[in-house]
């Protein structure tokens, strides 16, 4: 059985104790720190950016997975890598195929990973040309912008599609799912073929990260 990786989104962490929060998810065997960057334009919320990334990188021992919800990722992606992201995921709504190829080339040259994602209302066909260049394909299972929303059920069809597409075309991307992940939705995503699950509020609103991350990996049955 393949190992499911968990990427807690620090959007829901306690920012007054961010270093402790990071240590706690590392102890709980999270695989990535999911770093949600919001610019108040691409999404109706503002979160954090490069300055915070620099501090997080200093204390993190696991890889940082940056999710850029910003209108101009081409202007910033190199800095997101250079300041410590292992993976940078950009939205298909914000980059042309040529631009994505440029990010993928930079990632490859620097032994890093690159992700492509799409809003829930964007059709899955839109990302097909991007798939062969992606290390990660992120399925947004909520409208980006806020933590704590409910999982959009038809995201499961996208996961199934991406899983089949990967097999048929012999591609290597991992399938990551972001938004509304809890002990029940995690199980459905895993059954449909997800490899990495992002979880914000489910992990950080609990007082036992070890238990929550275990539940997400194996299902709470
Ligand atoms: C939404 C972000 C998500 C979000 C997940 O825009 O991309 O990463 O923080 O939060 P939960 O797990 O609370 O839905
Ligand atoms: Zn995210």
């Amino acid at each position: 059985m393949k190992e499911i990786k968990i990427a807690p989104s620090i959007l829901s962490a306690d920012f007054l104790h961010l270093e402790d929060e990071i240590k706690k998810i590392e102890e709980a065997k999270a695989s990535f720190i999911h770093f949600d960057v919001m610019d108040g334009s691409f999404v109706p919320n503002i979160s954090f950016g490069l300055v915070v990334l620099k501090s997080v990188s200093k204390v993190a021992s696991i890889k940082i997975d940056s999710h850029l919800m910003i209108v101009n990722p081409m202007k910033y992606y190199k800095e997101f890598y250079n300041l410590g992201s292992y993976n940078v995921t950009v939205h298909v709504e914000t980059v042309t195929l040529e631009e994505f190829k440029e990010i993928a080339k930079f990632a490859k040259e620097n032994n890093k990973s690159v992700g492509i994602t799409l809003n829930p209302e964007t059709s899955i066909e839109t990302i097909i040309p991007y798939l062969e260049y992606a290390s990660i394909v992120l399925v947004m299972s909520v409208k980006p912008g806020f933590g704590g929303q409910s999982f959009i059920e038809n995201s499961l069809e996208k996961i199934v599609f991406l899983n089949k597409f990967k097999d048929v075309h012999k591609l290597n991307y991992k399938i990551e799912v972001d938004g509304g992940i809890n002990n029940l939705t995690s199980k459905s995503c895993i059954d449909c073929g997800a490899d990495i699950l992002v979880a914000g509020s489910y992990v950080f609103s609990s007082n036992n990260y070890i238990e929550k991350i275990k539940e997400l990996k194996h299902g709470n049955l």
Side-chain angles (χ1 to χ4, degrees):
M1 224 172 80
K2 74 175 174 193
E3 198 214 336
I4 303 299
K5 298 195 161 157
I6 307 298
S9 165
I10 55 166
L11 187 63
S12 297
D14 175 358
F15 278 90
L16 291 177
H17 303 99
L18 195 50
E19 185 171 1
D20 292 344
E21 294 279 65
I22 290 169
K23 294 288 159 238
K24 276 160 70 182
I25 58 168
E26 287 176 349
E27 267 165 38
K29 304 235 173 350
S31 297
F32 299 98
I33 294 168
H34 188 78
F35 192 83
D36 280 310
V37 182
M38 303 179 181
D39 68 352
S41 271
F42 181 68
V43 287
N45 194 9
I46 299 177
S47 59
F48 38 71
L50 295 164
V51 175
V52 177
L53 176 62
K54 202 173 165 186
S55 301
V56 168
S57 301
K58 278 191 196 143
V59 298
S61 15
I62 54 173
K63 290 171 176 168
I64 301 172
D65 170 33
S66 292
H67 174 194
L68 304 190
M69 289 164 273
I70 64 177
V71 287
N72 194 354
M74 295 312 288
K75 189 169 168 192
Y76 298 103
Y77 78 86
K78 284 187 187 162
E79 279 184 277
F80 276 96
Y81 280 119
N82 292 338
L83 287 175
S85 309
Y86 171 69
N87 179 69
V88 173
T89 289
V90 296
H91 274 258
V92 71
E93 296 87 0
T94 63
V95 285
T96 63
L97 179 58
E98 285 313 305
E99 288 171 336
F100 187 67
K101 280 157 88 171
E102 184 186 319
I103 306 176
K105 186 166 175 272
F106 182 87
K108 200 170 178 192
E109 284 167 2
N110 290 281
N111 291 317
K112 302 263 177 124
S113 158
V114 63
I116 189 77
T117 186
L118 75 172
N119 284 338
E121 62 270 24
T122 300
S123 92
I124 193 80
E125 280 74 35
T126 319
I127 62 164
I128 289 177
Y130 295 70
L131 295 176
E132 64 182 288
Y133 306 99
S135 335
I136 287 181
V137 181
L138 175 67
V139 173
M140 283 307 302
S141 43
V142 296
K143 237 178 141 154
F146 300 92
Q149 305 178 70
S150 312
F151 185 85
I152 299 170
E153 284 297 323
N154 73 10
S155 314
L156 296 175
E157 290 157 30
K158 291 184 180 170
I159 302 171
V160 169
F161 173 89
L162 288 167
N163 210 15
K164 277 197 192 133
F165 191 93
K166 180 164 74 164
D167 280 355
V168 171
H169 296 275
K170 307 215 172 351
L171 299 177
N172 281 319
Y173 55 79
K174 299 285 179 209
I175 302 172
E176 183 176 10
V177 190
D178 185 5
I181 298 294
N182 57 35
N183 56 325
L184 301 173
T185 54
S186 68
K187 172 96 177 62
S188 315
C189 293
I190 294 167
D191 289 347
C192 290
D195 303 289
I196 306 166
L197 303 174
V198 175
S201 46
Y202 189 69
V203 172
F204 288 106
S205 67
S206 95
N207 52 20
N208 190 341
Y209 299 177
I210 296 180
E211 194 178 279
K212 292 290 146 183
I213 289 178
K214 222 183 258 169
E215 277 177 15
L216 293 176
K217 278 189 191 175
H218 305 292
N220 181 24
L221 299 173

